[in-house]
Short mmCIF file of all heavy atoms in Angstrom, two decimals:
data_model
loop_
_atom_site.label_atom_id
_atom_site.label_comp_id
_atom_site.label_asym_id
_atom_site.label_seq_id
_atom_site.Cartn_x
_atom_site.Cartn_y
_atom_site.Cartn_z
N ILE A 1373 -5.55 -33.51 15.65
CA ILE A 1373 -4.66 -32.35 15.70
C ILE A 1373 -4.17 -32.14 17.12
O ILE A 1373 -3.01 -31.86 17.34
CB ILE A 1373 -5.37 -31.08 15.17
CG1 ILE A 1373 -5.72 -31.29 13.69
CG2 ILE A 1373 -4.52 -29.86 15.33
CD1 ILE A 1373 -6.54 -30.19 13.09
N LYS A 1374 -5.06 -32.32 18.08
CA LYS A 1374 -4.70 -32.12 19.48
C LYS A 1374 -3.60 -33.10 19.90
O LYS A 1374 -2.63 -32.71 20.54
CB LYS A 1374 -5.93 -32.29 20.36
CG LYS A 1374 -5.68 -32.00 21.81
CD LYS A 1374 -6.95 -32.14 22.61
CE LYS A 1374 -6.69 -31.92 24.08
NZ LYS A 1374 -7.89 -32.09 24.89
N LEU A 1375 -3.73 -34.36 19.51
CA LEU A 1375 -2.71 -35.35 19.86
C LEU A 1375 -1.38 -35.02 19.21
O LEU A 1375 -0.32 -35.19 19.82
CB LEU A 1375 -3.15 -36.75 19.44
CG LEU A 1375 -4.18 -37.44 20.32
CD1 LEU A 1375 -4.61 -38.76 19.69
CD2 LEU A 1375 -3.62 -37.67 21.70
N GLY A 1376 -1.43 -34.57 17.97
CA GLY A 1376 -0.21 -34.19 17.27
C GLY A 1376 0.54 -33.09 17.99
O GLY A 1376 1.76 -33.16 18.15
N LYS A 1377 -0.19 -32.10 18.43
CA LYS A 1377 0.45 -31.01 19.17
C LYS A 1377 0.98 -31.48 20.52
O LYS A 1377 2.07 -31.11 20.93
CB LYS A 1377 -0.54 -29.86 19.36
CG LYS A 1377 -0.83 -29.10 18.10
CD LYS A 1377 -1.80 -27.97 18.33
CE LYS A 1377 -2.07 -27.23 17.02
NZ LYS A 1377 -3.02 -26.14 17.20
N GLU A 1378 0.19 -32.32 21.17
CA GLU A 1378 0.60 -32.81 22.49
C GLU A 1378 1.89 -33.63 22.42
O GLU A 1378 2.74 -33.54 23.29
CB GLU A 1378 -0.53 -33.67 23.09
CG GLU A 1378 -0.27 -34.15 24.49
CD GLU A 1378 -1.45 -34.90 25.07
OE1 GLU A 1378 -2.60 -34.68 24.63
OE2 GLU A 1378 -1.22 -35.72 25.97
N TYR A 1379 2.03 -34.44 21.37
CA TYR A 1379 3.20 -35.31 21.24
C TYR A 1379 4.21 -34.82 20.21
O TYR A 1379 5.17 -35.51 19.88
CB TYR A 1379 2.75 -36.74 20.89
CG TYR A 1379 2.04 -37.39 22.04
CD1 TYR A 1379 0.64 -37.44 22.07
CD2 TYR A 1379 2.73 -37.91 23.12
CE1 TYR A 1379 -0.03 -38.01 23.14
CE2 TYR A 1379 2.07 -38.48 24.19
CZ TYR A 1379 0.69 -38.53 24.19
OH TYR A 1379 0.04 -39.10 25.25
N ASN A 1380 3.98 -33.60 19.72
CA ASN A 1380 4.90 -32.95 18.80
C ASN A 1380 5.13 -33.78 17.53
O ASN A 1380 6.27 -33.99 17.11
CB ASN A 1380 6.23 -32.61 19.49
CG ASN A 1380 7.00 -31.57 18.73
OD1 ASN A 1380 6.42 -30.72 18.05
ND2 ASN A 1380 8.32 -31.63 18.82
N VAL A 1381 4.03 -34.27 16.95
CA VAL A 1381 4.08 -34.99 15.68
C VAL A 1381 3.03 -34.38 14.75
O VAL A 1381 2.11 -33.70 15.19
CB VAL A 1381 3.83 -36.51 15.83
CG1 VAL A 1381 4.94 -37.16 16.65
CG2 VAL A 1381 2.48 -36.80 16.44
N SER A 1382 3.16 -34.67 13.47
CA SER A 1382 2.24 -34.09 12.50
C SER A 1382 0.86 -34.77 12.56
O SER A 1382 0.73 -35.89 13.06
CB SER A 1382 2.80 -34.23 11.09
OG SER A 1382 2.78 -35.59 10.69
N THR A 1383 -0.11 -34.08 12.03
CA THR A 1383 -1.46 -34.63 11.94
C THR A 1383 -1.44 -35.90 11.10
O THR A 1383 -2.11 -36.87 11.41
CB THR A 1383 -2.42 -33.60 11.31
OG1 THR A 1383 -2.40 -32.43 12.12
CG2 THR A 1383 -3.82 -34.13 11.21
N ARG A 1384 -0.65 -35.90 10.05
CA ARG A 1384 -0.53 -37.07 9.18
C ARG A 1384 -0.02 -38.29 9.97
O ARG A 1384 -0.50 -39.41 9.78
CB ARG A 1384 0.39 -36.76 8.01
CG ARG A 1384 0.50 -37.89 7.03
CD ARG A 1384 1.39 -37.48 5.85
NE ARG A 1384 1.59 -38.59 4.97
CZ ARG A 1384 0.93 -38.78 3.84
NH1 ARG A 1384 0.03 -37.91 3.46
NH2 ARG A 1384 1.18 -39.82 3.08
N THR A 1385 0.94 -38.08 10.84
CA THR A 1385 1.46 -39.18 11.66
C THR A 1385 0.37 -39.73 12.56
O THR A 1385 0.22 -40.95 12.69
CB THR A 1385 2.66 -38.69 12.50
OG1 THR A 1385 3.69 -38.25 11.61
CG2 THR A 1385 3.19 -39.79 13.40
N VAL A 1386 -0.40 -38.86 13.17
CA VAL A 1386 -1.50 -39.29 14.03
C VAL A 1386 -2.50 -40.12 13.23
O VAL A 1386 -2.93 -41.18 13.68
CB VAL A 1386 -2.19 -38.08 14.70
CG1 VAL A 1386 -3.44 -38.52 15.46
CG2 VAL A 1386 -1.23 -37.35 15.63
N LEU A 1387 -2.84 -39.66 12.04
CA LEU A 1387 -3.79 -40.40 11.19
C LEU A 1387 -3.22 -41.74 10.73
O LEU A 1387 -3.94 -42.73 10.67
CB LEU A 1387 -4.17 -39.55 9.98
CG LEU A 1387 -4.99 -38.29 10.29
CD1 LEU A 1387 -5.20 -37.47 9.03
CD2 LEU A 1387 -6.31 -38.66 10.93
N THR A 1388 -1.93 -41.77 10.44
CA THR A 1388 -1.29 -43.03 10.03
C THR A 1388 -1.38 -44.06 11.16
O THR A 1388 -1.74 -45.22 10.93
CB THR A 1388 0.19 -42.79 9.66
OG1 THR A 1388 0.24 -41.89 8.55
CG2 THR A 1388 0.88 -44.08 9.31
N TYR A 1389 -1.06 -43.64 12.37
CA TYR A 1389 -1.14 -44.56 13.51
C TYR A 1389 -2.58 -44.95 13.82
O TYR A 1389 -2.85 -46.08 14.24
CB TYR A 1389 -0.45 -43.97 14.74
CG TYR A 1389 1.04 -44.13 14.68
CD1 TYR A 1389 1.87 -43.04 14.45
CD2 TYR A 1389 1.64 -45.38 14.83
CE1 TYR A 1389 3.25 -43.19 14.38
CE2 TYR A 1389 3.01 -45.54 14.77
CZ TYR A 1389 3.81 -44.44 14.55
OH TYR A 1389 5.17 -44.60 14.47
N ALA A 1390 -3.52 -44.05 13.59
CA ALA A 1390 -4.93 -44.39 13.80
C ALA A 1390 -5.37 -45.46 12.81
O ALA A 1390 -6.05 -46.42 13.19
CB ALA A 1390 -5.80 -43.14 13.65
N ASN A 1391 -4.96 -45.32 11.55
CA ASN A 1391 -5.29 -46.33 10.54
C ASN A 1391 -4.63 -47.67 10.86
O ASN A 1391 -5.23 -48.73 10.69
CB ASN A 1391 -4.88 -45.85 9.14
CG ASN A 1391 -5.76 -44.74 8.64
OD1 ASN A 1391 -6.91 -44.62 9.04
ND2 ASN A 1391 -5.22 -43.91 7.77
N TYR A 1392 -3.40 -47.62 11.32
CA TYR A 1392 -2.68 -48.84 11.71
C TYR A 1392 -3.41 -49.52 12.87
O TYR A 1392 -3.60 -50.74 12.86
CB TYR A 1392 -1.25 -48.49 12.10
CG TYR A 1392 -0.45 -49.66 12.61
CD1 TYR A 1392 -0.01 -50.66 11.75
CD2 TYR A 1392 -0.12 -49.78 13.95
CE1 TYR A 1392 0.73 -51.74 12.21
CE2 TYR A 1392 0.62 -50.85 14.42
CZ TYR A 1392 1.04 -51.82 13.55
OH TYR A 1392 1.77 -52.88 14.02
N SER A 1393 -3.83 -48.76 13.84
CA SER A 1393 -4.53 -49.30 15.00
C SER A 1393 -5.84 -49.98 14.58
O SER A 1393 -6.16 -51.08 15.04
CB SER A 1393 -4.81 -48.19 16.00
OG SER A 1393 -5.56 -48.66 17.09
N LYS A 1394 -6.59 -49.33 13.70
CA LYS A 1394 -7.84 -49.92 13.20
C LYS A 1394 -7.56 -51.21 12.44
O LYS A 1394 -8.30 -52.19 12.57
CB LYS A 1394 -8.57 -48.93 12.29
CG LYS A 1394 -9.17 -47.76 13.02
CD LYS A 1394 -9.79 -46.78 12.06
CE LYS A 1394 -10.19 -45.50 12.77
NZ LYS A 1394 -10.70 -44.50 11.83
N ALA A 1395 -6.49 -51.22 11.65
CA ALA A 1395 -6.13 -52.41 10.88
C ALA A 1395 -5.75 -53.56 11.82
O ALA A 1395 -6.16 -54.71 11.60
CB ALA A 1395 -4.99 -52.10 9.92
N ILE A 1396 -5.00 -53.26 12.86
CA ILE A 1396 -4.61 -54.29 13.84
C ILE A 1396 -5.85 -54.83 14.53
O ILE A 1396 -5.99 -56.06 14.70
CB ILE A 1396 -3.62 -53.71 14.88
CG1 ILE A 1396 -2.24 -53.55 14.24
CG2 ILE A 1396 -3.54 -54.58 16.12
CD1 ILE A 1396 -1.50 -54.83 13.93
N ASP A 1397 -6.78 -53.97 14.91
CA ASP A 1397 -8.01 -54.42 15.56
C ASP A 1397 -8.82 -55.34 14.64
O ASP A 1397 -9.29 -56.40 15.06
CB ASP A 1397 -8.88 -53.23 15.98
CG ASP A 1397 -8.30 -52.47 17.15
OD1 ASP A 1397 -7.41 -53.00 17.84
OD2 ASP A 1397 -8.74 -51.32 17.36
N LYS A 1398 -8.95 -54.94 13.38
CA LYS A 1398 -9.69 -55.76 12.42
C LYS A 1398 -9.00 -57.09 12.18
O LYS A 1398 -9.64 -58.15 12.17
CB LYS A 1398 -9.84 -55.01 11.10
CG LYS A 1398 -10.64 -55.77 10.06
CD LYS A 1398 -10.82 -54.97 8.80
CE LYS A 1398 -11.60 -55.79 7.78
NZ LYS A 1398 -11.71 -55.10 6.51
N LEU A 1399 -7.71 -57.04 12.02
CA LEU A 1399 -6.94 -58.26 11.80
C LEU A 1399 -7.04 -59.19 13.00
O LEU A 1399 -7.17 -60.40 12.86
CB LEU A 1399 -5.48 -57.89 11.52
CG LEU A 1399 -4.57 -58.95 10.96
CD1 LEU A 1399 -5.11 -59.50 9.65
CD2 LEU A 1399 -3.18 -58.37 10.76
N ASN A 1400 -7.03 -58.62 14.18
CA ASN A 1400 -7.11 -59.41 15.40
C ASN A 1400 -8.45 -60.13 15.53
O ASN A 1400 -8.51 -61.24 16.05
CB ASN A 1400 -6.86 -58.53 16.63
CG ASN A 1400 -6.65 -59.35 17.88
OD1 ASN A 1400 -5.87 -60.30 17.88
ND2 ASN A 1400 -7.33 -58.99 18.94
N GLU A 1401 -9.51 -59.52 15.04
CA GLU A 1401 -10.83 -60.17 15.07
C GLU A 1401 -10.86 -61.41 14.17
O GLU A 1401 -11.49 -62.40 14.51
CB GLU A 1401 -11.91 -59.19 14.59
CG GLU A 1401 -12.21 -58.09 15.56
CD GLU A 1401 -13.20 -57.08 15.00
OE1 GLU A 1401 -13.79 -57.34 13.93
OE2 GLU A 1401 -13.38 -56.03 15.64
N GLU A 1402 -10.18 -61.32 13.04
CA GLU A 1402 -10.24 -62.39 12.05
C GLU A 1402 -9.10 -63.40 12.17
O GLU A 1402 -9.28 -64.58 11.91
CB GLU A 1402 -10.25 -61.78 10.65
CG GLU A 1402 -11.47 -60.90 10.42
CD GLU A 1402 -11.37 -60.10 9.14
OE1 GLU A 1402 -10.32 -60.15 8.46
OE2 GLU A 1402 -12.36 -59.42 8.81
N GLU A 1403 -7.92 -62.92 12.52
CA GLU A 1403 -6.74 -63.77 12.60
C GLU A 1403 -5.90 -63.39 13.82
O GLU A 1403 -4.83 -62.79 13.71
CB GLU A 1403 -5.88 -63.62 11.32
CG GLU A 1403 -6.53 -64.13 10.07
CD GLU A 1403 -6.68 -65.63 10.03
OE1 GLU A 1403 -5.94 -66.34 10.75
OE2 GLU A 1403 -7.56 -66.10 9.29
N PRO A 1404 -6.36 -63.77 15.01
CA PRO A 1404 -5.64 -63.36 16.21
C PRO A 1404 -4.21 -63.90 16.29
O PRO A 1404 -3.31 -63.21 16.79
CB PRO A 1404 -6.50 -63.89 17.36
CG PRO A 1404 -7.44 -64.86 16.75
CD PRO A 1404 -7.56 -64.52 15.31
N ASP A 1405 -3.98 -65.10 15.78
CA ASP A 1405 -2.62 -65.66 15.82
C ASP A 1405 -1.66 -64.84 14.95
O ASP A 1405 -0.53 -64.55 15.35
CB ASP A 1405 -2.61 -67.12 15.36
CG ASP A 1405 -3.33 -68.04 16.34
OD1 ASP A 1405 -3.44 -67.67 17.52
OD2 ASP A 1405 -3.76 -69.12 15.91
N LEU A 1406 -2.13 -64.46 13.77
CA LEU A 1406 -1.31 -63.63 12.88
C LEU A 1406 -1.04 -62.28 13.52
O LEU A 1406 0.09 -61.80 13.48
CB LEU A 1406 -2.02 -63.46 11.53
CG LEU A 1406 -1.33 -62.55 10.51
CD1 LEU A 1406 0.05 -63.07 10.16
CD2 LEU A 1406 -2.19 -62.43 9.26
N THR A 1407 -2.04 -61.71 14.13
CA THR A 1407 -1.88 -60.41 14.78
C THR A 1407 -0.83 -60.48 15.88
O THR A 1407 0.04 -59.61 15.97
CB THR A 1407 -3.22 -59.93 15.37
OG1 THR A 1407 -4.20 -59.92 14.34
CG2 THR A 1407 -3.10 -58.54 15.96
N GLN A 1408 -0.88 -61.52 16.68
CA GLN A 1408 0.10 -61.66 17.76
C GLN A 1408 1.51 -61.82 17.21
O GLN A 1408 2.47 -61.27 17.77
CB GLN A 1408 -0.25 -62.85 18.66
CG GLN A 1408 -1.42 -62.57 19.58
CD GLN A 1408 -1.20 -61.33 20.42
OE1 GLN A 1408 -0.18 -61.17 21.08
NE2 GLN A 1408 -2.16 -60.42 20.39
N LYS A 1409 1.66 -62.55 16.12
CA LYS A 1409 2.98 -62.72 15.51
C LYS A 1409 3.52 -61.39 15.00
O LYS A 1409 4.71 -61.11 15.11
CB LYS A 1409 2.91 -63.74 14.37
CG LYS A 1409 2.74 -65.16 14.87
CD LYS A 1409 2.63 -66.13 13.71
CE LYS A 1409 2.41 -67.55 14.23
NZ LYS A 1409 2.28 -68.51 13.12
N ILE A 1410 2.63 -60.56 14.47
CA ILE A 1410 3.05 -59.23 14.00
C ILE A 1410 3.44 -58.35 15.18
O ILE A 1410 4.50 -57.72 15.18
CB ILE A 1410 1.93 -58.58 13.16
CG1 ILE A 1410 1.74 -59.33 11.84
CG2 ILE A 1410 2.24 -57.09 12.91
CD1 ILE A 1410 0.51 -58.92 11.06
N LEU A 1411 2.59 -58.32 16.19
CA LEU A 1411 2.86 -57.45 17.35
C LEU A 1411 4.07 -57.90 18.16
O LEU A 1411 4.78 -57.07 18.74
CB LEU A 1411 1.61 -57.37 18.24
CG LEU A 1411 0.41 -56.65 17.63
CD1 LEU A 1411 -0.78 -56.75 18.56
CD2 LEU A 1411 0.74 -55.20 17.31
N ASN A 1412 4.33 -59.20 18.19
CA ASN A 1412 5.49 -59.73 18.92
C ASN A 1412 6.78 -59.59 18.13
O ASN A 1412 7.86 -59.86 18.66
CB ASN A 1412 5.28 -61.20 19.28
CG ASN A 1412 4.21 -61.39 20.32
OD1 ASN A 1412 3.92 -60.48 21.09
ND2 ASN A 1412 3.61 -62.56 20.35
N GLY A 1413 6.67 -59.22 16.85
CA GLY A 1413 7.85 -59.09 16.02
C GLY A 1413 8.31 -60.40 15.40
O GLY A 1413 9.36 -60.46 14.78
N GLU A 1414 7.53 -61.45 15.60
CA GLU A 1414 7.86 -62.75 15.02
C GLU A 1414 7.78 -62.67 13.49
O GLU A 1414 8.55 -63.31 12.78
CB GLU A 1414 6.88 -63.80 15.55
CG GLU A 1414 7.24 -65.21 15.26
CD GLU A 1414 6.28 -66.18 15.93
OE1 GLU A 1414 5.76 -65.88 17.03
OE2 GLU A 1414 6.06 -67.25 15.34
N ILE A 1415 6.82 -61.89 13.00
CA ILE A 1415 6.70 -61.61 11.58
C ILE A 1415 6.90 -60.11 11.41
O ILE A 1415 6.20 -59.32 12.04
CB ILE A 1415 5.29 -62.00 11.05
CG1 ILE A 1415 5.02 -63.48 11.22
CG2 ILE A 1415 5.16 -61.61 9.59
CD1 ILE A 1415 3.62 -63.89 10.84
N LYS A 1416 7.86 -59.73 10.61
CA LYS A 1416 8.14 -58.30 10.37
C LYS A 1416 7.27 -57.81 9.21
O LYS A 1416 7.41 -58.28 8.09
CB LYS A 1416 9.61 -58.10 10.01
CG LYS A 1416 10.57 -58.66 11.03
CD LYS A 1416 10.73 -57.74 12.18
CE LYS A 1416 11.86 -58.26 13.07
NZ LYS A 1416 11.71 -57.90 14.42
N VAL A 1417 6.36 -56.90 9.52
CA VAL A 1417 5.46 -56.35 8.51
C VAL A 1417 5.38 -54.84 8.70
O VAL A 1417 5.04 -54.37 9.78
CB VAL A 1417 4.04 -56.97 8.65
CG1 VAL A 1417 3.13 -56.46 7.55
CG2 VAL A 1417 4.08 -58.48 8.66
N PRO A 1418 5.68 -54.08 7.64
CA PRO A 1418 5.56 -52.63 7.74
C PRO A 1418 4.10 -52.21 7.99
O PRO A 1418 3.17 -52.92 7.60
CB PRO A 1418 6.03 -52.13 6.37
CG PRO A 1418 6.78 -53.27 5.76
CD PRO A 1418 6.20 -54.51 6.35
N GLN A 1419 3.93 -51.05 8.59
CA GLN A 1419 2.59 -50.57 8.92
C GLN A 1419 1.67 -50.52 7.71
O GLN A 1419 0.52 -50.94 7.79
CB GLN A 1419 2.66 -49.18 9.53
CG GLN A 1419 3.12 -49.15 10.94
CD GLN A 1419 3.08 -47.74 11.50
OE1 GLN A 1419 2.65 -46.79 10.86
NE2 GLN A 1419 3.55 -47.61 12.73
N ASN A 1420 2.17 -50.01 6.60
CA ASN A 1420 1.30 -49.89 5.42
C ASN A 1420 0.86 -51.26 4.91
O ASN A 1420 -0.24 -51.40 4.40
CB ASN A 1420 1.97 -49.07 4.32
CG ASN A 1420 3.23 -49.71 3.78
OD1 ASN A 1420 3.90 -50.48 4.46
ND2 ASN A 1420 3.58 -49.37 2.56
N GLN A 1421 1.69 -52.26 5.11
CA GLN A 1421 1.32 -53.61 4.68
C GLN A 1421 0.30 -54.23 5.64
O GLN A 1421 -0.56 -55.00 5.22
CB GLN A 1421 2.56 -54.50 4.56
CG GLN A 1421 3.51 -54.06 3.46
CD GLN A 1421 2.85 -54.04 2.09
OE1 GLN A 1421 2.13 -54.96 1.74
NE2 GLN A 1421 3.09 -53.00 1.34
N VAL A 1422 0.40 -53.91 6.91
CA VAL A 1422 -0.61 -54.39 7.87
C VAL A 1422 -1.98 -53.85 7.48
O VAL A 1422 -2.98 -54.58 7.50
CB VAL A 1422 -0.25 -53.98 9.32
CG1 VAL A 1422 -1.40 -54.26 10.28
CG2 VAL A 1422 1.01 -54.69 9.78
N ILE A 1423 -2.02 -52.59 7.09
CA ILE A 1423 -3.29 -51.99 6.66
C ILE A 1423 -3.82 -52.71 5.43
O ILE A 1423 -5.00 -53.04 5.35
CB ILE A 1423 -3.10 -50.48 6.41
CG1 ILE A 1423 -2.79 -49.77 7.73
CG2 ILE A 1423 -4.33 -49.88 5.74
CD1 ILE A 1423 -2.30 -48.35 7.60
N ARG A 1424 -2.95 -53.02 4.48
CA ARG A 1424 -3.37 -53.74 3.28
C ARG A 1424 -3.83 -55.15 3.60
O ARG A 1424 -4.83 -55.63 3.08
CB ARG A 1424 -2.24 -53.77 2.26
CG ARG A 1424 -1.94 -52.39 1.68
CD ARG A 1424 -0.84 -52.43 0.68
NE ARG A 1424 -1.37 -53.01 -0.56
CZ ARG A 1424 -0.62 -53.36 -1.57
NH1 ARG A 1424 0.69 -53.20 -1.52
NH2 ARG A 1424 -1.16 -53.86 -2.66
N ILE A 1425 -3.10 -55.84 4.47
CA ILE A 1425 -3.46 -57.21 4.85
C ILE A 1425 -4.83 -57.24 5.51
O ILE A 1425 -5.63 -58.15 5.28
CB ILE A 1425 -2.39 -57.82 5.78
CG1 ILE A 1425 -1.10 -58.07 5.01
CG2 ILE A 1425 -2.89 -59.11 6.42
CD1 ILE A 1425 0.09 -58.40 5.88
N SER A 1426 -5.12 -56.24 6.33
CA SER A 1426 -6.40 -56.22 7.05
C SER A 1426 -7.59 -56.15 6.09
O SER A 1426 -8.70 -56.54 6.45
CB SER A 1426 -6.46 -55.05 8.03
OG SER A 1426 -6.62 -53.82 7.36
N LYS A 1427 -7.34 -55.70 4.87
CA LYS A 1427 -8.41 -55.57 3.88
C LYS A 1427 -8.56 -56.82 3.00
O LYS A 1427 -9.49 -56.90 2.21
CB LYS A 1427 -8.15 -54.35 3.00
CG LYS A 1427 -8.17 -53.05 3.78
CD LYS A 1427 -7.79 -51.87 2.92
CE LYS A 1427 -7.76 -50.59 3.75
NZ LYS A 1427 -7.32 -49.44 2.97
N LEU A 1428 -7.66 -57.78 3.15
CA LEU A 1428 -7.71 -59.00 2.34
C LEU A 1428 -8.76 -59.97 2.86
O LEU A 1428 -9.20 -59.88 4.00
CB LEU A 1428 -6.34 -59.68 2.35
CG LEU A 1428 -5.18 -58.91 1.73
CD1 LEU A 1428 -3.88 -59.65 1.97
CD2 LEU A 1428 -5.41 -58.66 0.26
N SER A 1429 -9.07 -60.94 2.04
CA SER A 1429 -10.04 -61.97 2.43
C SER A 1429 -9.43 -62.86 3.52
O SER A 1429 -8.20 -63.03 3.59
CB SER A 1429 -10.43 -62.82 1.23
OG SER A 1429 -9.36 -63.67 0.86
N PRO A 1430 -10.27 -63.45 4.36
CA PRO A 1430 -9.77 -64.35 5.42
C PRO A 1430 -8.94 -65.50 4.86
O PRO A 1430 -7.96 -65.92 5.49
CB PRO A 1430 -11.04 -64.86 6.08
CG PRO A 1430 -12.04 -63.77 5.85
CD PRO A 1430 -11.70 -63.23 4.48
N LYS A 1431 -9.28 -66.01 3.70
CA LYS A 1431 -8.55 -67.13 3.10
C LYS A 1431 -7.09 -66.73 2.82
O LYS A 1431 -6.16 -67.48 3.12
CB LYS A 1431 -9.24 -67.57 1.81
CG LYS A 1431 -8.62 -68.76 1.16
CD LYS A 1431 -9.41 -69.17 -0.07
CE LYS A 1431 -8.79 -70.39 -0.74
NZ LYS A 1431 -9.54 -70.79 -1.93
N ILE A 1432 -6.91 -65.54 2.29
CA ILE A 1432 -5.56 -65.08 1.99
C ILE A 1432 -4.80 -64.78 3.28
O ILE A 1432 -3.61 -65.08 3.39
CB ILE A 1432 -5.60 -63.84 1.07
CG1 ILE A 1432 -6.18 -64.25 -0.29
CG2 ILE A 1432 -4.23 -63.22 0.90
CD1 ILE A 1432 -6.42 -63.12 -1.25
N LYS A 1433 -5.47 -64.22 4.25
CA LYS A 1433 -4.82 -63.94 5.54
C LYS A 1433 -4.32 -65.23 6.18
O LYS A 1433 -3.24 -65.27 6.75
CB LYS A 1433 -5.80 -63.25 6.49
CG LYS A 1433 -6.11 -61.84 6.12
CD LYS A 1433 -7.14 -61.28 7.07
CE LYS A 1433 -7.75 -60.03 6.51
NZ LYS A 1433 -8.90 -59.58 7.23
N ASN A 1434 -5.11 -66.28 6.06
CA ASN A 1434 -4.72 -67.57 6.60
C ASN A 1434 -3.46 -68.09 5.91
O ASN A 1434 -2.57 -68.64 6.55
CB ASN A 1434 -5.86 -68.57 6.48
CG ASN A 1434 -5.66 -69.80 7.31
OD1 ASN A 1434 -4.83 -69.82 8.22
ND2 ASN A 1434 -6.37 -70.85 6.99
N LYS A 1435 -3.37 -67.90 4.60
CA LYS A 1435 -2.19 -68.32 3.85
C LYS A 1435 -0.97 -67.53 4.29
O LYS A 1435 0.14 -68.07 4.38
CB LYS A 1435 -2.41 -68.14 2.35
CG LYS A 1435 -3.31 -69.18 1.75
CD LYS A 1435 -3.41 -68.99 0.25
CE LYS A 1435 -4.35 -70.03 -0.34
NZ LYS A 1435 -4.45 -69.89 -1.81
N ILE A 1436 -1.13 -66.26 4.54
CA ILE A 1436 -0.01 -65.42 4.99
C ILE A 1436 0.52 -65.94 6.31
O ILE A 1436 1.72 -66.02 6.52
CB ILE A 1436 -0.46 -63.95 5.12
CG1 ILE A 1436 -0.74 -63.36 3.75
CG2 ILE A 1436 0.60 -63.12 5.85
CD1 ILE A 1436 -1.39 -62.00 3.78
N GLN A 1437 -0.37 -66.28 7.19
CA GLN A 1437 0.03 -66.77 8.51
C GLN A 1437 0.84 -68.05 8.40
O GLN A 1437 1.80 -68.25 9.13
CB GLN A 1437 -1.22 -67.02 9.37
CG GLN A 1437 -0.88 -67.49 10.77
CD GLN A 1437 -2.09 -67.54 11.64
OE1 GLN A 1437 -2.88 -66.64 11.64
NE2 GLN A 1437 -2.23 -68.60 12.38
N LYS A 1438 0.47 -68.92 7.48
CA LYS A 1438 1.18 -70.20 7.32
C LYS A 1438 2.52 -70.00 6.64
O LYS A 1438 3.41 -70.82 6.76
CB LYS A 1438 0.31 -71.17 6.52
CG LYS A 1438 -0.89 -71.62 7.30
CD LYS A 1438 -1.75 -72.54 6.48
CE LYS A 1438 -2.99 -72.95 7.29
NZ LYS A 1438 -3.91 -73.76 6.51
N TYR A 1439 2.67 -68.92 5.89
CA TYR A 1439 3.90 -68.66 5.15
C TYR A 1439 4.97 -68.22 6.10
O TYR A 1439 5.98 -68.60 6.31
CB TYR A 1439 3.65 -67.58 4.10
CG TYR A 1439 4.84 -67.31 3.22
CD1 TYR A 1439 5.24 -68.25 2.29
CD2 TYR A 1439 5.54 -66.13 3.31
CE1 TYR A 1439 6.31 -68.00 1.47
CE2 TYR A 1439 6.61 -65.88 2.50
CZ TYR A 1439 7.00 -66.82 1.59
OH TYR A 1439 8.07 -66.57 0.77
#
């Protein structure tokens, strides 16, 4: 709530970005190359999809990276 007020955004927005950040961290541990491609914009992936991808098995994440 404090961050939301400080940056004039809703609590929901703060939570969304927090979840995205956690998903990126998890994805980076398992698939650092894929994470870099997402962060560099080489692969365009919406935030909600990054969160979903981070929950997938490593085998599927590897296939996504090759696609």
Side-chain angles (χ1 to χ4, degrees):
I1373 296 174
K1374 184 178 177 182
L1375 283 175
K1377 288 181 180 179
E1378 184 176 335
Y1379 291 100
N1380 199 29
V1381 296
S1382 70
T1383 301
R1384 183 177 175 100
T1385 299
V1386 173
L1387 293 175
T1388 299
Y1389 280 108
N1391 289 334
Y1392 176 73
S1393 176
K1394 289 176 189 176
I1396 286 290
D1397 289 344
K1398 182 178 179 184
L1399 193 58
N1400 192 48
E1401 289 175 9
E1402 298 170 355
E1403 294 291 338
D1405 292 338
L1406 177 60
T1407 305
Q1408 286 305 308
K1409 288 178 182 179
I1410 291 170
L1411 292 175
N1412 291 336
E1414 191 175 328
I1415 299 174
K1416 305 280 188 208
V1417 184
Q1419 284 184 3
N1420 63 334
Q1421 294 301 316
V1422 170
I1423 293 168
R1424 291 180 75 190
I1425 291 168
S1426 73
K1427 297 174 183 177
L1428 297 173
S1429 72
K1431 184 177 180 180
I1432 294 174
K1433 289 177 196 169
N1434 194 17
K1435 285 184 181 181
I1436 291 171
Q1437 182 172 315
K1438 291 178 181 176
Y1439 184 70

